[in-house]
Amino acid sequence: MQAAQRVHYNQALEYSIEQANKAGIPVIVYFGLTDDFPEANARHFHFMIEGLIEVEKKLAERKIPLIVQHISPPEGVINLSNKARMVVVDRGYLNIERKWRSRAAQNISCPLIQIETNSVVPVETASPKEEYAAHTLRKKIADFRTEFLNDIPARKLKNLGLEKFADLSSIELTPVKKTVKNLNLNSSVKKTSHFKGGFTAAQDHLETFISDKLADYPEKSSDPSEDFLSHLSPYLHFGQISPVYIARKIKSSGKPGTDEFLEQLIVRRELSINFIYYNKNYDSSLQKILPEWAFSTLQEHKDDPREYLYNLSELEEAKTHNPYWNAAQKEMLITGKMHSYMRMYWGKKILEWSPSPQDAFEKALYLNNKYHLDGRDANAFAGVAWCFGKHDRAWQERDIFGKVRYMNSSGLERKFPMQKYISRVNKLS
Ligand SMILES: Cc1cc2nc3c(=O)[nH]c(=O)nc-3n(C[C@H](O)[C@H](O)[C@H](O)COP(=O)(O)OP(=O)(O)OC[C@H]3O[C@@H](n4cnc5c(N)ncnc54)[C@H](O)[C@@H]3O)c2cc1C
């Protein structure tokens, strides 16, 4: 278990149980906790560990042992694999997650099976190549959107206790809380009290969303002064809830807003997965990720004079001249989650206030991934790249942005009661 940190609706776990039952052997769930995951800090770990403690409890209810070791995930898999008939892994799309799985696969002698766990339509089934934009992917997954929304029932494991298996009885089952004590965490960002990790909290957000917000989602979810979002992104990021489960619950509610929400959850989210899966440079060079029109127009305007230039610490500390941007930055610093609409405005302004587009891209990714609970996700890389023209079209040409879409404060003021947003954020602090 690595990317799908859940017991409920976990296709990899259910497949393991099915295979173990056929072979008449037990299942052990293994999790390698590494304290140097790129860009991860105490905020992310705290949320993840809350989820893992719940995983441990839910597995115990199903009499399935969990081993959590303070070790790089593939090394732990390699060590334990000499006692295994088969290793089943969940699926992660980031470069590091793919490297881990390849390293394990190349260094164990039993079969290693990877199961798609964190998307609705498996990434290669959806498309064999990097897609240009949402409209090109939407057509391709239209038919699959129902095919992959099947129920994932919990199977019963037949062979329970490890004690019957001599070579397994010596395995030490370390509890999550004990392993966590040895972690040497980057404490540059403290935990947030605004979100609690784990499936139960995710399910609470989902139920509240369906009962109180879904019907108004199309009209009100863009308004940062209101709260009509699901808040599921941190849970999806850690795989604490299944996108298949969310989609099934939303569909079965029969409420208006269903199509608009599923467009975000399936089309937009899986476009991000498609991007980072087929473009390994997703976190490095704008030149290698942007469509030609976007990169060349930004290059043509890279020496345009900038009215404001902010360095990283001025941005980080929310010390710009712009109250809306500062409020958005503070919302992220305090809660670990900025409103979706403000994320677009926030990224666009970093482009406007930085010496070059590449410098802006790096600063935006750094801040996004450091403070957001859902940072370092496929959506993080696609969302930030979108501010620079990825998955978008050309607009009217202007300074600095060239033909890349521009956003300004008067647009925010025209659409939303922005003072209400500022007071909402001020109340947070
Ligand atoms: C500059 C920028 C940075 C972003 N950084 C992140 C990030 O670090 N992590 C992250 O998960 N998302 C990121 N996004 C995408 C989007 O803003 C968030 O997914 C959304 O705000 C999450 O809140 P929610 O779950 O309450 O959204 P809801 O509106 O309730 O949406 C439900 C789910 O649909 C998906 N979704 C919604 N909007 C988008 C979108 N625009 N693109 C792809 N999927 C979407 C998400 O999985 C989300 O959890 C970023 C967008 C931009 C423009």
Side-chain angles (χ1 to χ4, degrees), residues 217 229-233 236 261 264-265 268-269 272 337-338 340 343-344 368 372 374-375 377 379-380 383-384 386-387:
Y217 184 79
L229 299 175
S230 69
H231 301 303
L232 288 168
S233 56
L236 282 162
F261 183 79
Q264 300 301 325
L265 177 76
R268 296 281 164 174
R269 182 169 178 271
S272 304
K337 187 170 177 291
M338 189 192 297
S340 337
R343 292 194 200 208
M344 299 190 274
N368 186 88
H372 271 140
D374 58 23
D377 193 88
N379 276 347
V384 170
W386 175 86
C387 299

Side-chain angles (χ1 to χ4, degrees), residues 383-401:
V384 170
W386 175 86
C387 299
F388 297 78
K390 184 77 186 170
H391 297 151
D392 204 1
R393 64 173 172 87
W395 294 71
Q396 197 180 356
E397 192 159 4
R398 54 174 301 121
D399 287 351
I400 306 173
F401 286 77

